[in-house]
Amino acid sequence: RKLVGTRIVVRPPRYTDITLKVLLVTRPNTLKSEVIDTVTAAITGFFNPLIGGRDRSGWPFGRPVSAYELYYLIEALAGVDHVEGLEINADPQAREVPIEDLPSLRSLTITPVN
């Protein structure tokens, strides 16, 4: 049932491309390749539209990407001492990226500093 004059419109989501460059310092006595694999998996999972987001129940439509959440996510991982730098969409000063519907991680570069 629907009211007279009601239009139902179904469309696919619009994705906003996200590129990330992460400079991180690893803890002593850790394998950098394992830390990079862990960080890659965590970030990729975070941006997954179905099982990503802050509470792992899917990315909410229109919710912006926050650099602070990425810092928190990365620095909580085993083997990571701290994030030295984070560049979102080629802007090292970006703290939040507005999203139309959903984010799409197009490029991820992780570089250990030490």
Side-chain angles (χ1 to χ4, degrees), residues 43-94:
I43 292 173
T44 303
F46 181 71
F47 283 107
N48 185 306
L50 300 176
I51 58 169
R54 193 180 323 173
D55 57 359
R56 299 291 185 202
S57 63
W59 195 276
F61 279 85
R63 187 168 162 281
V65 173
S66 168
Y68 303 110
E69 284 183 334
L70 290 168
Y71 275 104
Y72 180 78
L73 171 75
I74 297 166
E75 290 180 348
L77 297 172
V80 175
D81 186 57
H82 66 277
V83 175
E84 186 75 23
L86 180 67
E87 192 174 292
I88 303 174
N89 291 347
D91 183 3
Q93 302 302 319

Side-chain angles (χ1 to χ4, degrees), residues 1-48:
R1 295 182 188 210
K2 65 179 181 173
L3 294 173
V4 174
T6 301
R7 285 183 54 203
I8 298 174
V9 178
V10 178
R11 64 166 178 80
R14 291 178 291 233
Y15 290 94
T16 302
D17 290 340
I18 301 292
T19 60
L20 288 177
K21 290 183 182 178
V22 180
L23 298 173
L24 60 89
V25 177
T26 58
R27 292 189 186 275
N29 302 322
T30 58
L31 291 174
K32 291 179 185 179
S33 60
E34 287 182 6
V35 174
I36 290 172
D37 291 344
T38 302
V39 172
T40 301
I43 292 173
T44 303
F46 181 71
F47 283 107
N48 185 306

